Amino acid sequence: MVEISSDVIRGYNDTMILSILMEAPSYGYEISKSIRNRTDGKYVIKETTLYSAFTRMEKNGYIESFVADPDPEGNGKKRTYYRITEAGRNYYREKCEEWTLTKDVVERFMVER
Amino acid sequence: MVEISSDVIRGYNDTMILSILMEAPSYGYEISKSIRNRTDGKYVIKETTLYSAFTRMEKNGYIESFVADPDPEGNGKKRTYYRITEAGRNYYREKCEEWTLTKDVVERFMVER
DNA sequence: TGACATACTACGACAGGCGGAGTATATTAT
DNA sequence: ATAATATACTCCGCCTGTCGTAGTATGTCA
């Protein structure tokens, strides 16, 4: 089985997270499941990778956190949600452009099929 | 200008080098120029990145080194050439498969256009 | 009652990339 | 003749993102 190595995906974990936050604010566990689902289980982000990405991106101003209840009645444990900022949206768009370039570059070294 | 960040290309420097060595044995400076040319200057590998890749890949058994003269008359300074091994060829093929998967995964998080 | 899901935090190791500096020879321009 | 530039490397150490391991605490379901 071919698996995606961390060195390969390294530059795109943040982008994937931001992509999900473009739709709606979300939190760790949910984002983790979103990534798994959207890739049909082909990629599962590690917990530590995910949470350290939150810290880094909040520091960089790409996301903002807020604590909220899981439901309006205030039941359940509070969660830390993240919301994408304008800077985050810009960063995401840049990464999409960069991806186009990267794909072009890398494929010049791949066997055709 | 969009530039390829090292975190993105990280998983593919070795693959690019091996791709060039699939054609013929080569050495540092020439490989560096090959990468630059093949990508139309879109990607230029750093010297230290290149030479440390040689060390790593030789240790891993993906390449073998030999010292030779630049020309048959024995003029000029000797160079360290690298030749891809069978293990290196296999590794390269695996990376090509991994690329297909990575591309699929990453693009599920990219804006369409 | 106990397993499993949810929702995190902390710590430290590891690996690849890279900046900076240095060495040495060869070729080309002035 | 000399200076600049290209070639062909090596060494050292920092930085960053990933990830293994471990721990905490609540919620839910059988």
Side-chain angles (χ1 to χ4, degrees):
Chain A
M1 252 308 287
V2 191
E3 279 200 22
I4 295 181
S5 74
S6 60
D7 278 338
V8 174
I9 214 71
R10 193 184 178 96
Y12 283 93
N13 278 321
D14 289 7
T15 314
M16 287 190 242
I17 296 164
L18 291 178
S19 163
I20 286 159
L21 296 179
M22 289 279 276
E23 288 157 31
S26 188
Y27 58 96
Y29 202 78
E30 196 179 51
I31 291 173
S32 167
K33 283 191 293 180
S34 295
I35 292 176
R36 184 202 296 262
N37 291 339
R38 208 186 277 202
T39 63
D40 298 319
K42 283 171 188 159
Y43 182 58
V44 180
I45 196 167
K46 303 286 181 305
E47 268 190 289
T48 39
T49 301
L50 181 62
Y51 288 106
S52 62
F54 287 151
T55 312
R56 180 177 52 252
M57 290 201 290
E58 187 161 31
K59 206 175 288 169
N60 292 340
Y62 299 152
I63 56 174
E64 285 167 352
S65 65
F66 59 99
V67 175
D69 295 302
D71 69 66
E73 286 79 39
N75 298 319
K77 206 186 170 190
K78 280 177 192 299
R79 301 175 184 130
T80 307
Y81 283 82
Y82 294 92
R83 181 193 297 121
I84 193 167
T85 63
E86 195 48 40
R89 263 182 267 272
N90 290 335
Y91 178 78
Y92 171 75
R93 286 185 207 110
E94 277 166 36
K95 280 287 162 181
C96 289
E97 278 186 66
E98 190 187 307
W99 168 252
T100 308
L101 179 59
T102 302
K103 207 171 60 166
D104 176 21
V105 163
V106 172
E107 293 195 334
R108 293 182 196 208
F109 298 91
M110 293 287 140
V111 277
E112 332 288 333
R113 173 226 20 111
Chain B
M1 252 306 288
V2 190
E3 279 199 22
I4 296 181
S5 75
S6 60
D7 279 338
V8 173
I9 214 70
R10 194 185 176 95
Y12 283 92
N13 278 320
D14 289 7
T15 314
M16 286 189 241
I17 295 164
L18 292 177
S19 164
I20 285 160
L21 296 179
M22 290 279 274
E23 287 158 32
S26 187
Y27 58 96
Y29 201 79
E30 195 179 52
I31 291 172
S32 168
K33 282 192 294 180
S34 295
I35 292 176
R36 183 202 297 262
N37 291 339
R38 207 186 277 201
T39 62
D40 298 318
K42 284 170 187 160
Y43 182 58
V44 180
I45 196 167
K46 301 290 182 304
E47 269 189 288
T48 39
T49 302
L50 181 61
Y51 289 105
S52 63
F54 286 151
T55 311
R56 178 176 53 250
M57 290 202 288
E58 187 162 29
K59 206 175 287 168
N60 292 342
Y62 298 152
I63 56 175
E64 285 166 354
S65 64
F66 60 99
V67 174
D69 296 303
D71 68 67
E73 286 79 38
N75 298 320
K77 207 182 168 189
K78 280 176 191 299
R79 299 172 184 132
T80 305
Y81 284 82
Y82 293 92
R83 182 194 296 122
I84 193 167
T85 63
E86 195 47 41
R89 265 182 266 271
N90 290 335
Y91 177 78
Y92 171 75
R93 287 187 206 108
E94 277 167 36
K95 279 287 161 179
C96 289
E97 279 186 66
E98 191 188 307
W99 169 251
T100 308
L101 179 58
T102 303
K103 207 172 60 166
D104 176 20
V105 163
V106 173
E107 293 197 334
R108 292 182 196 209
F109 297 91
M110 294 286 138
V111 276
E112 333 287 332
R113 174 220 24 111

